[in-house]
Amino acid sequence: MKINRISRYAAALLASAVLAMQAEYRAAAVVSSYGGGYAVTGQISGVSYSTEIYDAVNGLPTSDAMFLMSAGDGRMWIGGYSGVFCYDGSLFERVDTADGLTSARAIFEDSKGRIWVGTNDNGVVVLEGQTRIHLTYLDGLPSSSIRIFEEDPDGNVFIGTTAGICFADSRMKLHEVAGADFSEERILKLDADSAGRIYGQASSGTVFTIDDTAVTAVYSSEALAADKITTLMADPDTEGKVYFGTESGIVYHGVFGVPVNRMDRISIPELGGSVHWLSADCGRVWVSSVSAAGWLDHHRQFHLLDNIPMNSGIEMTTADYQGNLWFASSTQGIMKLVTNNFVDVSREAGIAGEVANASCLYQDALYIGTDTGLEIINAEGAAEQNALTEYIT
């Protein structure tokens, strides 16, 4: 009997501990979802968002950025034609240009915490603390101009170049990727799914898969789509599925290798051109052209990110550990999108930005007097028209 009481007591303690751990986990999950990427998509309520541009005026030597990467230690790495920089939240620090680190078109952190920098014309530089390893065409790179990296489950790092693809093993030895010849292709995107399969996309629109260091499937855009595939992304939630971006501003989602007429189709004319980049950040899929960006909600509906200062040369998007969203632009530098505790109720209601001369809260509605007349925002946050707004115009 005593043993049973002790067992019940131990079970109760264990249950309490499990519940406490679950509560702590849920609390941590809530805390982690407070950045600008969650604010702009409406995943957190009662807040808005703000943007800040970093360029030649306030931190960068020039107003160009080609790639961004948020490292495990919290620092943001920036690559551009003017060099490589680290941002610690307050200062941009230029990384020493020794060992070929003169520019960057791609930056990647591997499972060992090493930073891989793909330069525009000087191969790859791998940073591990104070140690640097410089890989060039003499070591086996198919080209000195690098565009993208990805890692497989065995720790092999694949390097996409302007003349094909290779991989570096755990000893930093470079090897050719068997199964297909991409020596005439610029490899622009590599992305791994949760099972470790790597999906790739070349500038011609060709897409492919890599398993166990070999290309296992290759498809041309003509074989899968009505128009050219311009980028891709592995589905972060479902193995074997991908997102394709195309030249006509359409995103497709479905099983890799099937024709797009058997995939979900999302037409996005708001982008004003071809899909340039896809990323999964802050619980949403982000889609951008070189001049506009937005996100897909859980119903695959696109929402344009408007009222932002960045509108040209957009290269890519990513998020930092705080949930803030970052944009790299080859013409405007960097844009950071953060949470703002002040909500722009006019913008939320779809009212054009005007000078507000007076305001009054009356019966749960906000009355706003502007230079062009009266605006009313109701308790649901929507603009309301009535006889009074029609009279005062």
Side-chain angles (χ1 to χ4, degrees):
M1 187 69 66
K2 184 178 180 181
I3 293 175
N4 288 337
R5 285 198 298 268
I6 293 173
S7 298
R8 288 196 296 269
Y9 179 67
L13 284 177
L14 179 60
S16 297
V18 170
L19 289 173
M21 291 173 64
Q22 289 176 340
E24 184 178 354
Y25 175 80
R26 286 193 296 268
V30 171
V31 170
S32 67
S33 303
Y34 61 80
Y38 296 97
V40 70
T41 55
Q43 295 177 78
I44 49 178
S45 60
V47 297
S48 185
Y49 63 92
S50 300
T51 58
E52 184 168 1
I53 291 283
Y54 299 103
D55 55 19
V57 176
N58 63 344
L60 295 176
T62 58
S63 297
D64 72 86
M66 304 302 296
F67 208 92
L68 299 167
M69 192 274 295
S70 180
D73 62 4
R75 292 186 297 174
M76 181 65 68
W77 287 73
I78 302 103
Y81 292 119
S82 57
V84 180
F85 301 84
C86 270
Y87 179 66
D88 62 4
S90 58
L91 295 174
F92 289 93
E93 180 182 357
R94 184 169 188 172
V95 181
D96 191 285
T97 58
D99 300 305
L101 202 62
T102 54
S103 65
R105 287 295 301 267
I107 307 176
F108 178 75
E109 183 177 25
D110 68 15
S111 57
K112 297 180 180 179
R114 298 175 298 190
I115 304 298
W116 296 65
V117 179
T119 70
N120 192 52
D121 55 7
N122 212 7
V124 175
V125 180
V126 184
L127 307 176
E128 187 174 13
Q130 299 301 313
T131 303
R132 297 187 181 194
I133 300 174
H134 188 193
L135 302 174
T136 71
Y137 69 94
L138 297 174
D139 300 292
L141 283 178
S143 169
S144 296
S145 189
I146 313 301
R147 290 297 179 269
I148 198 72
F149 297 100
E150 188 53 276
E151 185 177 7
D152 71 7
D154 296 321
N156 300 304
V157 175
F158 291 78
I159 305 168
T161 80
T162 56
I165 187 171
C166 67
F167 72 92
D169 63 22
S170 58
R171 297 173 299 164
M172 288 293 175
K173 298 298 182 181
L174 297 180
H175 306 268
E176 294 182 357
V177 176
D181 180 12
F182 290 120
S183 59
E184 300 297 321
E185 293 271 21
R186 288 188 297 139
I187 308 300
L188 301 182
K189 194 73 181 287
L190 297 171
D191 198 22
D193 67 13
S194 57
R197 165 172 280 189
I198 294 175
Y199 302 87
Q201 173 253 334
S203 59
S204 65
T206 298
V207 293
F208 55 92
T209 57
I210 297 175
D211 297 281
D212 298 324
T213 71
V215 174
T216 51
V218 181
Y219 298 96
S220 66
S221 288
E222 292 78 12
L224 299 179
D227 60 341
K228 182 179 177 182
I229 297 171
T230 52
T231 190
L232 63 70
M233 183 187 76
D235 188 316
D237 302 315
T238 308
E239 297 175 12
K241 288 190 174 183
V242 295
Y243 290 84
F244 288 143
T246 70
E247 199 168 45
S248 61
I250 298 172
V251 171
Y252 294 98
H253 173 248
V255 176
F256 181 87
V258 305
V260 295
N261 60 12
R262 292 165 54 191
M263 303 174 78
D264 296 330
R265 182 181 186 275
I266 307 128
S267 179
I268 312 178
E270 299 94 329
L271 289 178
S274 66
V275 181
H276 185 70
W277 187 263
L278 291 164
S279 69
D281 293 304
C282 305
R284 295 291 182 265
V285 172
W286 291 83
V287 188
S288 58
S289 66
V290 295
S291 60
W295 72 93
L296 300 177
D297 61 26
H298 288 318
H299 301 290
R300 306 279 186 249
Q301 295 295 312
F302 180 76
H303 303 264
L304 181 67
L305 182 61
D306 55 4
N307 296 315
I308 60 172
M310 183 165 284
N311 54 21
S312 70
I314 299 174
E315 294 291 333
M316 55 91 68
T317 59
T318 192
D320 63 22
Y321 74 101
Q322 293 180 316
N324 299 310
L325 203 67
W326 293 71
F327 295 71
S329 167
S330 58
T331 59
Q332 293 183 272
I334 303 166
M335 184 179 73
K336 181 182 180 182
L337 195 153
V338 300
T339 302
N340 185 333
N341 289 329
F342 296 93
V343 179
D344 188 336
V345 294
S346 296
R347 183 173 65 188
E348 293 292 320
I351 297 173
E354 298 178 8
V355 175
N357 301 309
S359 64
C360 176
L361 189 62
Y362 177 69
Q363 294 184 346
D364 293 330
L366 179 64
Y367 290 70
I368 307 170
T370 74
D371 285 348
T372 59
L374 177 68
E375 301 284 357
I376 299 177
I377 301 176
N378 62 28
E380 287 72 39
E384 187 175 289
Q385 301 292 321
N386 58 25
L388 187 58
T389 58
E390 292 179 5
Y391 180 76
I392 306 176
T393 57

